[in-house]
């Protein structure tokens, strides 16, 4: 590559990391082309697939590639394997500051909410009678098979643990969390919550901890839990913060661990510092936050924030977020 091109690429990457103006041709103004690699949480697999299809239709010069895994597993692809995507989308904003800032990410933008639910089918034991009042009794019945995802790999896994601890408080049933956990043995644990969906559909599981968005996308039956335990309501943040789970840190084998505190569910994305194609990455993020992108996310059962919220020590490139005063669902004037 000519030296001038290398210098230009260096300015783009440095500017992206620092959130600085990028000269006469900012990222938002450059035509995207080439490969675009997106790592995303399992619960973002379907909406991001549709987002990438819509984006590729607008930019035929871009070749998209998607990898779906649990959010923690996706983050460790950077920290353990050195695999750097152009965009990373996670189901818990805490994953980015806890595992990736400052070495791999300088900023992140939170953009959507979700809720913990129990998915099930017509064949599930107790399907005809399950309710917000008795679901935990049904899950404790002999023979009921309930799945959950691995908390070391997937936020839904540690959120399931948080939900059952909050349920113990809500129903005032001492020891309930331990009993529910014992009723979900390791053979019903999978790497990410979306892996469990097919098992419920096939009748191999009666219930699974999941997200409302996945239930909406798959058409499965689902039980909406009380807000006090479904991690969906920002006004209940203090209650949620009464529980926490520790998970492995940047590497699964390391002795260090990360403290995940109960929080209202908030999804986030970032463009890693060493993203191979920052121009296409910026264009894709703009599309996610556009009215077209917002419609896709809402169709998949997500509740959007009024406006993406930026966190981290750095800043996203200029032009990535909707202008002040306009939410993603509003068209530009």
């Amino acid at each position: 590559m000519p030296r001038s091109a290398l210098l230009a690429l260096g300015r783009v990457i440095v500017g992206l990391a620092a959130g600085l103006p990028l000269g006469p041709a900012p990222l938002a103004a450059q035509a995207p082309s080439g490969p675009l690699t997106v790592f995303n949480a399992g619960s973002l697999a379907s909406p991001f697939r549709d987002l990438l299809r819509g984006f590729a239709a607008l930019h035929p010069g871009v070749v998209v590639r998607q990898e779906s895994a649990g959010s923690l597993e996706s983050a460790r692809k950077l920290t353990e394997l050195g695999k750097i995507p152009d965009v990373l989308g996670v189901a818990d904003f805490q994953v980015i500051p806890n595992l990736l800032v400052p070495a791999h990410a300088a900023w992140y933008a939170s953009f959507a909410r979700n809720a913990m639910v129990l998915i099930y089918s017509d064949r599930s034991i107790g399907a005809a009678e399950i309710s917000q009042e008795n679901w935990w009794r049904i899950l404790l019945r002999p023979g009921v098979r309930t799945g959950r995802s691995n908390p070391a790999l997937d936020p839904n896994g540690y959120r399931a643990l948080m939900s059952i601890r909050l349920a113990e408080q809500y129903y005032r049933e001492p020891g309930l969390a331990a009993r529910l956990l014992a009723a979900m043995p390791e053979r019903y644990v999978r790497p990410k919550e979306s892996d469990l969906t097919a098992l419920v559909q096939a009748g191999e599981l009666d219930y699974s901890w999941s997200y409302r968005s996945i239930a909406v996308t798959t058409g499965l039956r689902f039980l909406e839990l009380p807000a006090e335990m479904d991690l969906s309501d920002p006004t209940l943040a203090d209650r949620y913060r009464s529980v926490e789970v520790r998970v492995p840190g940047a590497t699964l084998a390391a002795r260090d661990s990360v403290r995940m505190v109960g929080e209202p569910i908030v999804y986030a994305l970032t463009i890693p510092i060493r993203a191979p194609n920052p121009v296409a990455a910026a264009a894709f993020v703009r599309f996610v936050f556009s009215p077209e992108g917002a419609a896709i996310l809402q169709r998949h059962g997500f509740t959007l924030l009024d406006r993406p919220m930026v966190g981290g020590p750095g800043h996203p490139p200029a032009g990535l977020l909707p202008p002040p005063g306009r939410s993603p669902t509003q068209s530009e004037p």
Side-chain angles (χ1 to χ4, degrees):
M1 181 182 291
R3 184 172 181 271
S4 61
L6 284 171
L7 290 173
L9 179 60
R11 284 195 298 269
V12 169
I13 293 174
V14 171
L16 177 64
L20 298 174
L22 299 179
L27 294 183
Q30 299 180 49
S33 62
L36 171 69
T37 300
V38 175
F39 291 175
N40 57 257
S43 54
L44 287 172
S46 291
F48 267 40
R49 182 178 62 242
D50 289 352
L51 285 163
L52 286 166
R53 285 174 179 168
F55 178 74
L58 292 174
H59 303 285
V62 176
V63 179
V64 300
R65 180 171 175 264
Q66 180 183 19
E67 289 189 22
S68 301
S71 296
L72 291 163
E73 184 178 4
S74 294
R76 293 192 188 104
K77 289 179 182 179
L78 286 77
T79 59
E80 288 194 68
L81 304 179
K83 296 177 63 177
I84 311 297
D86 298 298
V87 177
L88 171 69
V90 296
D92 186 352
F93 76 94
Q94 295 182 86
V95 170
I96 297 174
N98 283 341
L99 271 69
L100 299 178
V101 173
H104 298 281
W107 59 270
Y108 56 93
S110 302
F111 62 93
R113 299 192 185 280
N114 216 330
M116 293 293 291
V117 301
L118 284 167
I119 58 172
Y120 62 102
S121 72
D122 292 337
R123 291 180 288 179
S124 300
I125 297 173
E129 57 183 300
I130 193 167
S131 69
Q132 287 191 352
E133 289 72 37
N134 68 5
W135 63 268
W136 56 275
R137 297 183 187 276
I138 289 176
L139 265 55
L140 292 175
R141 287 180 183 175
V144 172
R145 301 156 300 171
T146 303
R148 60 186 176 93
S149 61
N150 187 339
L153 302 176
D154 180 32
N156 194 276
Y158 58 74
R159 283 171 172 154
L161 302 181
M162 292 174 178
S163 289
I164 64 175
R165 293 173 187 174
L166 290 167
E168 180 174 318
Q169 298 176 12
Y170 180 77
Y171 296 109
R172 299 180 182 179
E173 287 282 338
L176 176 60
R179 285 185 285 154
L180 286 169
L181 184 60
M184 297 183 284
E186 289 295 322
R187 64 180 179 273
Y188 299 147
V189 175
R190 294 295 183 273
K192 57 184 183 295
E193 82 290 322
S194 54
D195 295 336
L196 299 161
T197 304
L199 299 180
V200 175
Q201 292 171 321
E204 296 181 31
L205 287 176
D206 295 294
Y207 300 91
S208 175
W209 289 93
S210 192
Y211 293 120
R212 186 182 185 278
S213 65
I214 289 182
V216 170
T217 300
T218 60
L220 277 166
R221 298 181 68 179
F222 66 98
L223 176 69
E224 291 192 271
L225 300 165
E228 287 81 359
M229 68 193 69
D230 75 354
L231 303 174
S232 71
D233 189 344
T235 67
L236 296 174
D238 287 343
R239 174 184 286 267
Y240 300 157
R241 279 193 287 269
S242 68
V243 297
E244 63 179 64
V245 175
R246 298 201 75 89
V247 300
T251 63
L252 278 173
R255 293 183 178 180
D256 66 316
S257 63
V258 174
R259 174 173 167 262
M260 293 299 189
V261 178
E263 293 272 2
I265 296 171
V266 176
Y267 284 65
L269 57 73
T270 189
I271 299 174
I273 291 172
R274 289 181 290 278
N277 192 344
V279 172
F284 177 66
V285 171
R286 279 175 55 83
F287 181 72
V288 172
F289 294 152
S290 72
E292 295 82 2
I296 290 171
L297 289 166
Q298 289 175 318
R299 188 163 65 243
H300 282 273
F302 288 89
T303 300
L304 301 185
L305 303 187
D306 291 338
R307 175 176 167 78
M309 302 295 292
V310 175
H315 303 281
L320 253 68
L321 304 184
R326 181 171 66 83
S327 73
T329 58
Q330 294 176 314
S331 300
E332 294 187 27

